[in-house]
Amino acid sequence: MSAKSDVIVVGLGAMGSATCFQLAARGASVIGIDQHEPPHPHGSTHGETRITRLAIGEGREYVPLVRRSHELWREIEQRTGVQLLTQCGGLILGHGASPFLGETRAAARGFGIAHEDLSGAEVGARFPMFAIDSETEGYFEPEAGYVRPEAAVRAQLQLARARGADLRLGERVDEWTASGGGVSVTTEAGSYEARELVLCAGAWIPELFPEGSQIFSIYRQHQLWFPVRERYEELRDMPVFVWEFGAPEDAITHLAGFYGFPAIDGPAGGVKVAAESYEVATTADSEGQPLSRDEIDKIYEVYLAARVPWLGRAPVRTVSCLYTSTRGSRFVIDRHPYHDSVLIVSPCSGHGFKHSAAIGESVAQLVLDGRSEIDLGPFNLAEAGVR
């Protein structure tokens, strides 16, 4: 079986679902392929919530993407009736010399993003669930919050399909080829041809783009829901937060701390908390081992015991996901170095979901118009170490 289209999109998670929707909305014929049935728990786009914030401590070049994504989430909500974005506010905590806190504040000033700079005493008075030491300061952004990743993927694929996108789910890509006449993709079920190919395969990108595999590393990360010990209502109404309490040389790109969300699942649902680990690389298809009791105890003691005392020690549940990262934790959105008809839209280095709606729009513009309204130059392969 062979099918032809304008564009083939491989991988229908955060970036792929957004790209499919935006291409179809502009009248392109699209084939979307995923080896699973998204949204699914095998890659990077799951876990019920993802933080979104307008002032981006990882670099000011990301701000236009997240701003546009907020607009797009609202548009998608209106089209589908599904709530995706909750703006409960966001709190960044760190010592005064924190690079991440400093860059966040600088981005807010530079882009005119509404915010408050808070002293430690102000943080403690306003957000008593956090035990603040004498050196910790805060940044509060009222338009920050969280997005529902599974709902966002599902909504965008629904809209893409309604506009004619041909979604081939449960098909693993065996290979792709490109020539002057276009591209061809072969899966377990058949072959597909198109003018252009967009690879949004996340943790599977090294298999489909081996030329860049030396710069991509995959890490399994864990999300834990710790039980509420007291004052559920205040934990329910608190902002999302990012707390940096160390300052290694790569503190901006690798968080030396942890982050969390309000208690959105009721008194028994716990508070979702996660940190980042880059000690052991893995592969996309490897089976993740559950956290041991000792590992959970260590996470609790290192991150929570002295900082969020209203939470209990034993999590009510845990979930793992995959980060596909470059050395500098940057995105890669660029043409293939040898095939101009192929776009690489991965990896996202663990902080991509908040930008995904705008990335999908920008990629659609790049494919159909030859250029995107938002500058994607900072995310080229040269910046990531390829070429």
Side-chain angles (χ1 to χ4, degrees):
M1 178 180 64
S2 178
K4 294 185 178 180
S5 66
D6 294 326
V7 189
I8 297 171
V9 179
V10 175
L12 300 179
M15 304 302 161
S17 63
T19 300
C20 270
F21 162 50
Q22 294 291 341
L23 285 166
R26 285 162 173 74
S29 60
V30 186
I31 296 174
I33 304 173
D34 197 289
Q35 64 180 318
H36 300 291
E37 295 197 10
H40 59 74
H42 306 293
S44 307
T45 309
H46 59 280
E48 301 179 9
T49 51
R50 288 289 186 276
I51 287 178
T52 183
R53 44 195 162 83
L54 296 179
I56 304 300
E58 291 87 349
R60 276 166 261 188
E61 63 271 27
Y62 297 95
V63 173
L65 288 170
V66 72
R67 274 188 149 169
R68 178 58 181 152
S69 288
H70 276 209
E71 295 172 350
L72 289 168
W73 298 133
R74 293 305 188 202
E75 291 177 15
I76 294 168
E77 287 177 333
Q78 291 178 356
R79 295 186 186 198
T80 63
V82 176
Q83 183 177 357
L84 304 178
L85 170 63
T86 299
Q87 291 174 292
C88 58
L91 182 66
I92 309 295
L93 299 169
H95 292 175
S98 159
F100 185 80
L101 178 61
E103 182 62 21
T104 298
R105 287 171 165 170
R109 293 192 299 268
F111 284 90
I113 296 166
H115 69 285
E116 299 174 64
D117 291 323
L118 305 175
S119 68
E122 290 170 325
V123 171
R126 190 162 163 184
F127 304 107
M129 66 285 300
F130 301 121
I132 304 296
D133 63 34
S134 61
E135 298 180 71
T136 298
E137 302 174 4
Y139 162 97
F140 179 74
E141 182 183 298
E143 293 182 85
Y146 59 89
V147 183
R148 298 281 194 172
E150 290 95 340
V153 168
R154 188 179 296 111
Q156 289 173 107
L157 291 179
Q158 171 190 331
L159 291 172
R161 185 180 279 114
R163 285 156 178 77
D166 181 6
L167 304 183
R168 305 296 179 111
L169 308 181
E171 293 187 29
R172 189 179 181 106
V173 171
D174 292 328
E175 64 175 353
W176 63 266
T177 59
S179 64
V183 298
S184 176
V185 174
T186 302
T187 75
E188 303 160 314
S191 61
Y192 309 97
E193 297 178 359
R195 177 171 52 86
E196 299 206 41
L197 170 63
V198 182
L199 297 176
C200 303
W204 289 269
I205 196 68
E207 301 173 21
L208 299 173
F209 178 48
E211 295 87 347
S213 61
Q214 74 276 11
I215 66 159
F216 301 153
S217 296
I218 301 165
Y219 302 95
R220 188 169 295 279
Q221 309 291 349
H222 296 279
Q223 306 164 54
L224 304 92
W225 282 256
F226 285 92
V228 174
R229 293 177 56 239
E230 57 181 294
R231 301 170 75 169
Y232 157 72
E233 290 79 8
E234 290 173 79
L235 291 170
R236 177 196 62 198
D237 297 334
M238 74 177 181
V240 298
F241 67 91
V242 179
W243 195 332
E244 182 191 68
F245 53 82
E249 292 181 0
D250 63 351
I252 289 181
T253 55
H254 286 172
L255 175 65
F258 68 112
Y259 60 92
F261 299 80
I264 63 174
D265 296 322
V271 169
K272 179 183 169 182
V273 172
E276 296 180 352
S277 173
Y278 298 92
E279 296 176 359
V280 180
T282 186
T283 61
D285 293 315
S286 65
E287 291 293 330
Q289 296 298 316
L291 288 168
S292 68
R293 181 73 257 174
D294 287 345
E295 289 172 319
I296 291 172
D297 286 344
K298 182 178 179 181
I299 290 170
Y300 179 80
E301 291 297 335
V302 169
Y303 298 109
L304 297 178
R307 295 181 177 89
V308 195
W310 297 357
L311 300 183
R313 176 181 293 271
V316 297
R317 62 189 173 109
T318 66
V319 169
S320 68
C321 69
L322 298 173
Y323 279 14
T324 307
S325 300
T326 61
R327 293 191 185 99
S329 288
R330 301 189 61 77
F331 298 171
V332 173
I333 309 171
D334 201 359
R335 297 279 180 185
H336 192 287
Y338 308 124
H339 304 292
D340 199 48
S341 58
V342 180
L343 268 166
I344 312 299
V345 186
S346 181
C348 300
S349 298
H351 61 110
F353 191 86
K354 67 180 73 66
H355 308 288
S356 60
I359 289 175
E361 181 182 63
S362 297
V363 170
Q365 292 168 350
L366 186 60
V367 169
L368 300 178
D369 305 330
R371 62 180 299 276
S372 61
E373 294 178 9
I374 294 176
D375 181 17
L376 299 178
F379 314 116
N380 60 46
L381 284 162
E383 290 289 334
V386 179
R387 291 191 200 269

